[in-house]
Amino acid sequence: MSDNNATPSSPNYPQLLGHPRPLWMLFMTEFWERFAFYSVSWALALYVVAHFFNGSATGQAWAATIFSAYTALIYASSIFGGYVADRIIGYQRSILLGALVMAAGLFVVMLPSRDVFLIGLAMVIVGNGLFKPNISSMVGQLYARDDPRRDRGFTLFYMGINGGALLAPLLTGWMAGYFTNTPLQQNYRIVFGAAGVGMLLSLLWFWFGRRSLQGVGRPAPEAEGLSRVAWVVLGTVVAVPLVYLLLAFVSSGLSWVLGLLFVVVAVVLLAEAARQGRVQVDRVVAMLIIFAFNVLFWMFYFQLGTSFNFLAENLVDRKMFGDWVFPTGWFQSVSPLAIIVLAPVVTMGWSFFAARDKEPSIPRKFGLGLVFNGLGFAVLMYALAHLLNGQGLIPFWPLALCYVLQTVGELCLSPIGLSMVTKLAPPRLVGLAMGGWFLSLAVGGQLSGLLAGYISGASGMTATSALSGFTFSFWLLAGAGVLLLLVAPLINKLMHGVK
């Protein structure tokens, strides 16, 4: 059994721009995978309404259910992918197999049948489980555990994620309307095809760049044989129809399944920590508390794929420069653009405070993330209560500003969370712990669909239902953020010096 995780002394890599050179290879591998993911994410719910409900708003609730189930399972599958990498075939092989399965699934999604569409989504979910947690874990393995550049390395890696997220809706939104010269809502399938090409680019980038890792992420010598890979391939073939069944028949009850998985992961991590002593147990407990608050953040953040899309489509005045209409999908580029602009600023801010021994602790950063997420909803509350025009539409800027405020919150929370897992998890189970991190996103994603379905109701979103739902969102986020800021000293004690 191998320990593929970060060690006190990582390989002596060549440096590029102050960081290990392989970071930039992983950066671009993740860039193209995120291009694929966010191409599907902006189009998915809109495609379901347009294609399977002929554009009727009555399809919004089911579209929200499918989007949230897809999002939840994307992240939940990371648990199994992390375990496969930790214990069976290593990180590099997991990433390569996952990328191949995802690419195939994205091309299957293009087919118009509802059942085939769900099978394609199931393939994407299973492949993503093998890919996503393991490439994030490998970033941590490039640095020694006490290397002060680790958080900044994850923030730079996060810029790669958002570079792909920025390009995806801009390019694929334009392709959907241009290449077929017909209305945008009829051409979402070209978006899925472009996502498949992006995933192939991610696969090729990692295939040719993996040698720079100097063996990090390879399986142990006794596990080098291909028989283990064959078993994982067989498991993948079995997993796809199981995930299809979850999407097709039990997506509304998925929260219970995910909750049970979360409990199992917590027990496994605590059991491993108990073998190493009280300090490691306390650190795992602190990590699990942060995971719980992370669920709340993503429950509301993931409205971008459902209720925010429906808001933009039906309740936002998108006319600009005469008769030109700002595409709904392009709103999805606001957040990654803001991250690319603001990530260096936030990184320099943390460095500035760290140099003066005043950098906020991990739980305080998470608390700030929740508060900024809540402020985004406060802007929408104001717009829906005071800025509706004669046609029942709000201006363009409140939704754009909401995305920017949520982005500030995301920068306070998400890259810090990835780094936190690599520092607080038991060393032998970093991959599983990273899967637990993504499972907390999965639970948030599933709950986001329940909220979006409530806001839309049986007949579709209205200004009144949106105002009610967004008001609830603001108060819950703000309250959770303030609570976390207040209990941060207690969580810091559990972390035993980890910063």
Side-chain angles (χ1 to χ4, degrees), residues 93-413:
R93 289 176 172 179
S94 294
I95 290 168
L96 290 169
L97 178 59
L100 182 62
V101 174
M102 287 175 69
L106 288 165
F107 291 116
V108 171
V109 168
M110 296 176 66
L111 302 177
S113 162
R114 181 182 295 199
D115 285 335
V116 176
F117 169 74
L118 293 178
I119 290 171
L121 288 182
M123 293 174 67
V124 174
I125 288 165
V126 173
N128 189 274
L130 291 167
F131 184 102
K132 183 62 179 169
N134 299 316
I135 194 164
S136 299
S137 295
M138 290 197 71
V139 174
Q141 295 173 40
L142 302 181
Y143 301 89
R145 183 164 285 228
D146 58 352
D147 191 327
R149 300 174 301 163
R150 181 185 287 238
D151 280 4
R152 295 190 286 278
F154 270 102
T155 299
L156 289 170
F157 178 71
Y158 210 66
M159 290 178 68
I161 292 175
N162 287 280
L166 169 64
L167 180 63
L170 293 177
L171 179 59
T172 58
W174 169 75
M175 291 173 64
Y178 178 81
F179 277 100
T180 51
N181 197 30
T182 53
L184 176 63
Q185 66 268 22
Q186 298 179 17
N187 299 292
Y188 291 114
R189 286 195 294 275
I190 201 170
V191 175
F192 305 142
V197 173
M199 200 61 237
L200 288 176
L201 289 173
S202 177
L203 171 63
L204 291 172
W205 207 285
F206 188 78
W207 174 265
F208 289 109
R210 72 191 192 284
R211 293 173 182 82
S212 68
L213 294 166
Q214 300 182 22
V216 168
R218 293 284 301 174
E222 66 272 15
E224 283 280 1
L226 294 180
S227 60
R228 291 190 176 208
V229 177
W231 280 110
V232 173
V233 170
L234 178 61
T236 299
V237 172
V238 172
V240 168
L242 294 177
V243 173
Y244 163 80
L245 292 175
L246 287 173
L247 283 171
F249 299 111
V250 299
S251 56
S252 59
L254 195 57
S255 299
W256 295 103
V257 177
L258 296 175
L260 179 61
L261 272 177
F262 195 87
V263 171
V264 171
V265 170
V267 170
V268 172
L269 290 172
L270 287 169
E272 174 65 21
R275 296 171 53 191
Q276 301 178 32
R278 180 58 183 270
V279 170
Q280 186 63 67
V281 170
D282 286 349
R283 286 174 174 170
V284 169
V285 169
M287 183 173 66
L288 293 174
I289 293 171
I290 295 295
F291 282 2
F293 283 96
N294 196 47
V295 168
L296 280 179
F297 181 91
W298 295 102
M299 172 182 175
F300 298 102
Y301 185 92
F302 281 136
Q303 296 306 307
L304 60 84
T306 51
S307 63
F308 284 5
N309 261 347
F310 301 142
L311 180 76
E313 186 86 355
N314 303 301
L315 294 173
V316 174
D317 184 0
R318 295 181 285 114
K319 283 190 176 181
M320 297 181 177
F321 314 115
D323 293 331
W324 183 74
V325 177
F326 186 87
T328 298
W330 284 13
F331 275 106
Q332 304 295 311
S333 288
V334 174
S335 289
L337 176 61
I339 284 181
I340 290 170
V341 172
L342 296 176
V345 177
V346 172
T347 300
M348 289 187 291
W350 298 147
S351 299
F352 175 84
F353 287 113
R356 290 154 180 79
D357 201 27
K358 294 183 179 179
E359 183 176 3
S361 63
I362 289 172
R364 284 199 170 96
K365 288 176 180 177
F366 270 71
L368 291 171
L370 289 163
V371 169
F372 276 106
N373 194 349
L375 291 176
F377 284 94
V379 172
L380 294 181
M381 288 166 54
Y382 176 80
L384 289 164
H386 302 288
L387 300 180
L388 286 170
N389 63 18
Q391 289 76 44
L393 304 176
I394 64 173
F396 172 93
W397 66 264
L399 182 55
L401 180 58
C402 172
Y403 277 116
V404 172
L405 289 169
Q406 285 190 317
T407 297
V408 176
E410 184 182 357
L411 283 170
C412 291
L413 176 149

